[in-house]
């Protein structure tokens, strides 16, 4: 990440940071540099190993799987290739908490709670 951005967040070289957005959170080592413009970060290496530190989708990944942060959309409707490997993320010094609820799992939890409430009231959802 940019050196100025890192300083503003209190991030130093090789600090463990949480890189996250509404899709996931990944733990990485920071490498601040002046080679990147402000507002830009770059993952020099990424791992294909998904290693959540708790329940999948509800915790941070320590395997370095940065693809978790990228959108699921494809380049075109007729291919299976991913759209550009870029995404909007936030970066902060990792506070060692392992919980991180992705938006998809948050919606699933909300839907489950609604279904349980309807079931308890002997109601069924409209179709």
């Amino acid at each position: 990440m940019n050196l100025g951005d890192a300083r503003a967040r209190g991030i130093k070289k090789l600090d463990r940071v949480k890189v996250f957005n509404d899709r996931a959170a990944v733990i990485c080592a920071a490498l601040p540099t002046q080679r990147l413009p402000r507002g830009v970060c770059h993952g020099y290496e990424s791992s294909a190993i998904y290693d959540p530190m708790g329940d999948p989708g509800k915790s941070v990944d320590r395997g370095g799987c940065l693809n978790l942060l990228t959108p699921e959309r494809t380049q075109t409707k007729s291919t299976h290739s991913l759209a550009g490997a870029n995404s909007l993320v936030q970066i902060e010094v990792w506070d060692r908490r392992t919980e991180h609820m992705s938006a998809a799992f948050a919606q699933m939890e909300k839907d489950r709670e609604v279904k349980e409430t309807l079931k308890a009231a002997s109601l069924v959802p409209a179709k």
Side-chain angles (χ1 to χ4, degrees):
M1 72 185 301
N2 175 274
L3 183 60
D5 290 339
R7 284 184 182 145
R9 291 172 171 79
I11 297 171
K12 299 180 293 303
K13 183 178 181 178
L14 300 180
D15 277 352
R16 286 186 202 157
V17 294
K18 179 170 86 169
V19 182
F20 65 99
N21 59 20
D22 61 342
R23 295 182 226 16
V26 179
I27 304 304
C28 299
L31 187 59
T33 179
Q34 293 184 23
R35 288 182 267 177
L36 293 172
R38 288 197 74 122
V40 175
C41 61
H42 174 75
Y44 289 99
E45 296 179 24
S46 182
S47 169
I49 298 171
Y50 176 53
D51 188 14
M53 296 180 78
D55 292 334
K58 299 178 183 178
S59 60
V60 298
D61 169 58
R62 66 176 154 216
C65 190
L66 293 173
N67 286 341
L68 292 169
L69 304 168
T70 60
E72 296 178 17
R73 68 181 186 276
T74 60
Q75 288 178 355
T76 65
K77 291 181 181 181
S78 60
T79 67
H80 297 287
S81 58
L82 291 175
N86 56 28
S87 58
L88 295 174
V89 297
Q90 182 60 269
I91 302 174
E92 60 187 33
V93 174
W94 183 40
D95 59 9
R96 305 198 55 83
R97 289 191 334 216
T98 60
E99 306 83 24
H100 181 85
M101 180 74 77
S102 70
F105 276 89
Q107 185 61 48
M108 287 170 44
E109 290 285 318
K110 184 177 178 183
D111 292 346
R112 183 184 57 75
E113 290 172 9
V114 168
K115 287 178 185 175
E116 287 177 1
T117 302
L118 293 174
K119 185 177 178 180
S122 299
L123 301 172
V124 293
K127 293 187 180 190

